[in-house]
């Protein structure tokens, strides 16, 4: 195949991967506004009780994904990315149908468990991007994941809020339809990215969280950078888990203002990862992009912690969003250290790390918020989770820089 034709084919495949991830995130965003009300209805309880179940549902998904992401990553190294990605999309569609028609809270947990087991869309999409990207374009192409996340979180909650006015179940049905249509679309359009000569046999000892993480030992530079990436995931839980509670408690925001702020987060993330990284990473290089981005993350989190007015949260989102140049550069650097037939395993291990942060991060961050805001506490500090997040970002920076030095020696 000549170079222009190959480039055109790669661009079409990247376009499909972007649409796949966008539909995934939009589907997730659609259900956010109505999930609390659905849980309340099923448990016949109040919002506080519903929040406990919501946390447990997140935990069920994260645990299943932690356990099964390496399995699916290894399967994609044996059978190719296409069947695993399509199976993941089908699993999400089934999950949303469970959520839409669940007669009891137990059915919600079953649906979330299925989604966690099959939820390899980001794992396999990342391996797919690594397969078809040249080394110099890999980091920028990983930025598409952030763009999909940002755009999906702008339009998803809006659609969910509108549909939720008519029925609590309608947003879940819409999310299921999107996922299932995406599966059908992918079946007819998505090409395979991993050719047969780059595949390898499935090994059970490598297809588990511990086994896949131990495999990273073969690549010393990867191990340190993966630890750095884990700290980024964990630190980000301070925003994901506490944002609503913090802004409502400190600034008296209502649900609408929380929604506006999340939309603005999505917009800034999309602008940085869709546009800025294509300029910044080639100019700065991947290594400098990583530590500069991590310092922006740390600065944004500490500014959140000590904001005194609501408008400041919008202003401080800008340095925080600029930190988004670090993630794609870090992923691009990690994938360069691993051969093509182990990219699925690598992405499975990285997804397990993200899931591990989703298991413990929300618990720790929400506990810190509770501990430093409860009546009678010796020191009121609602921004404590953001302070911890900032410290973790600084530690991530040190780990990344240390890995760079080891790799060059």
């Amino acid at each position: 195949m000549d170079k222009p034709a190959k480039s055109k084919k790669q661009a079409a495949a990247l376009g499909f991967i972007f649409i796949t991830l966008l539909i995934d995130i939009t589907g997730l965003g659609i259900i956010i506004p109505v999930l609390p009300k659905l849980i309340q209805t099923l448990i016949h309880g109040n919002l506080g009780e519903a929040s406990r179940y919501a946390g447990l549902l997140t935990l069920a998904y994260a645990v299943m994904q932690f356990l099964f992401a390496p399995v699916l990553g290894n399967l994609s190294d044996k059978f190719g990315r296409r069947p695993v990605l399509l199976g993941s999309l089908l699993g999400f569609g089934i999950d949303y149908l469970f959520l839409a028609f669940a007669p009891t809270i137990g059915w919600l947990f079953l649906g979330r468990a299925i989604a966690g087991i099959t939820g390899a869309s980001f794992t396999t999409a990342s391996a797919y991007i690594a397969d078809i990207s040249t080394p110099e374009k890999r980091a920028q192409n990983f930025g598409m994941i952030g763009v999909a996340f940002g755009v999906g979180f702008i339009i998803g909650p809006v659609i969910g809020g509108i549909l939720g006015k008519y029925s609590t179940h309608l947003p879940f049905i819409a999310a299921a339809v999107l996922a299932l249509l995406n599966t059908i679309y992918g079946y007819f359009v998505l090409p395979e990215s991993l050719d047969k000569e780059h595949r390898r046999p499935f090994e059970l000892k490598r297809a588990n969280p511990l086994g896949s993480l131990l495999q990273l030992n073969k690549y010393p530079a990867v191990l340190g950078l993966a630890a750095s990436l884990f700290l980024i995931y964990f630190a980000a839980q301070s925003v994901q888990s506490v944002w609503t509670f913090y802004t409502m408690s400190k600034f008296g925001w209502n649900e609408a203002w929380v929604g506006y702020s999340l939309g603005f987060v999505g917009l800034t993330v999309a602008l940085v990862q869709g546009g800025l990284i294509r300029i910044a990473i080639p100019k700065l290089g991947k290594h400098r992009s990583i530590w500069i981005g991590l310092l922006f993350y740390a600065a944004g989190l500490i500014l959140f912690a000590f904001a005194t007015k609501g408008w400041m949260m919008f202003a401080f989102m800008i340095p925080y969003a600029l930190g988004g140049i670090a993630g794609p550069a870090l992923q691009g650097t990690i994938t360069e250290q691993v051969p093509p037939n182990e990219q699925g395993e690598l992405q499975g291990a990285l997804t397990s790390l993200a899931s591990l942060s989703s298991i413990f991060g929300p618990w720790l961050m929400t506990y810190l918020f509770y501990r430093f805001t409860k009546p009678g506490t010796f020191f009121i500090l609602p921004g404590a989770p953001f302070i911890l997040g900032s410290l973790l970002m600084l530690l991530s920076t040190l780990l990344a820089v240390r890995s760079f030095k080891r790799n060059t020696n």
Side-chain angles (χ1 to χ4, degrees):
M1 186 183 292
D2 59 20
K3 199 170 182 179
K6 187 177 180 182
S7 178
K8 193 173 180 181
K9 188 176 178 183
Q10 287 177 347
L14 282 171
F16 175 81
I17 291 296
F18 174 77
I19 292 168
T20 295
L21 296 177
L22 176 61
I23 291 175
D24 264 10
I25 295 298
T26 301
L28 181 63
I30 283 173
I31 71 173
I32 286 174
V34 290
L35 186 60
K37 190 174 178 181
L38 177 65
I39 296 172
Q40 274 185 273
T41 303
L42 292 175
I43 65 171
H44 308 290
N46 59 34
L47 192 61
E49 291 168 332
S51 69
R52 287 178 56 238
Y53 279 95
L56 291 172
L57 286 167
T58 301
L59 180 64
Y61 176 84
V63 169
M64 289 297 104
Q65 191 173 62
F66 172 69
L67 294 173
F68 285 91
V71 176
L72 295 173
N74 276 268
L75 285 173
S76 80
D77 283 339
K78 177 177 173 57
F79 297 108
R81 316 301 184 205
R82 185 176 182 274
V84 176
L85 186 56
L86 295 177
S88 171
L89 295 173
L90 181 62
F92 271 119
I94 293 169
D95 169 44
Y96 292 138
L97 288 174
F98 269 102
L99 296 178
F101 299 109
T104 65
I105 191 70
W107 285 90
L108 289 192
F109 279 97
L110 180 59
R112 288 278 76 193
I114 291 171
I117 291 168
T118 63
S121 57
F122 278 83
T123 301
T124 315
S126 297
Y128 196 108
I129 291 170
D131 290 340
I132 65 174
S133 300
T134 59
E136 61 271 15
K137 288 286 185 182
R138 192 169 282 163
Q140 293 97 309
N141 288 341
F142 275 124
M144 285 198 320
I145 297 174
V147 179
F149 182 90
V151 176
F153 259 85
I154 294 170
I155 61 180
V158 174
I159 296 171
I162 293 169
L163 295 177
K165 291 179 181 178
Y166 300 99
S167 166
T168 306
H169 302 283
L170 198 53
F172 298 97
I173 296 170
V177 169
L178 276 178
L180 295 174
L181 284 175
N182 202 17
T183 308
I184 296 167
Y185 174 57
Y187 181 81
F188 290 105
V189 173
L190 182 67
E192 178 55 63
S193 65
L194 186 67
D195 49 49
K196 290 187 177 179
E197 57 265 30
H198 284 127
R199 298 182 190 181
R200 64 176 180 82
F202 180 85
E203 297 176 54
L204 192 60
K205 66 180 181 180
R206 295 168 66 169
N208 63 78
L210 183 60
S212 63
L213 292 175
L214 287 175
Q215 284 298 311
L216 298 180
N217 273 323
K218 293 194 301 184
Y219 310 100
V222 167
L223 198 60
L225 293 174
S228 176
L229 193 61
F230 170 73
L231 290 175
I232 296 173
Y233 293 145
F234 205 103
Q237 291 295 333
S238 62
V239 175
Q240 295 169 23
S241 304
V242 175
W243 184 269
T244 302
F245 298 101
Y246 179 77
T247 53
M248 285 182 169
S249 171
K250 193 166 184 178
F251 309 116
W253 283 6
N254 57 21
E255 291 83 355
W257 275 103
V258 171
Y260 300 148
S261 68
L262 291 175
F264 190 70
V265 168
L267 177 63
T268 54
V269 167
L271 289 173
V272 169
Q273 301 214 8
L276 183 61
I277 65 166
R278 298 185 178 277
I279 302 168
I281 293 177
K283 274 190 172 295
L284 297 173
K286 283 194 278 286
H287 289 189
R288 285 172 68 192
S289 296
I290 291 166
W291 66 258
I292 289 172
L294 289 172
L295 291 178
F296 270 122
Y297 269 145
L301 286 168
I302 207 73
L303 289 170
F304 288 154
F306 294 104
T308 55
K309 303 286 184 184
W311 64 264
M312 292 181 178
M313 299 300 284
F314 284 87
F316 297 157
M317 283 176 207
I318 295 171
Y320 183 76
L322 288 172
I325 65 172
L330 189 52
Q331 271 203 301
T333 303
I334 291 172
T335 56
E336 287 171 4
Q337 314 296 320
V338 177
N341 66 351
E342 294 182 13
Q343 288 294 333
E345 179 182 43
L346 169 68
Q347 296 303 330
L350 296 182
T351 301
S352 284
L353 289 177
S355 301
L356 200 59
S357 75
S358 297
I359 292 170
F360 297 106
W363 172 82
L364 178 59
M365 297 304 179
T366 52
Y367 174 77
L368 278 176
F369 180 81
Y370 161 75
R371 182 69 183 80
F372 283 95
T373 57
K374 72 173 185 176
T377 189
F378 68 96
F379 190 63
I380 299 292
L381 186 63
F386 297 132
I387 295 172
L388 175 61
S390 183
L391 293 173
L392 291 174
M393 288 294 186
L394 292 174
L395 181 57
S396 177
T397 309
L398 292 174
L399 279 175
V401 171
R402 186 183 173 202
S403 293
F404 300 152
K405 287 181 178 177
R406 272 184 165 182
N407 207 28
T408 53
N409 288 342

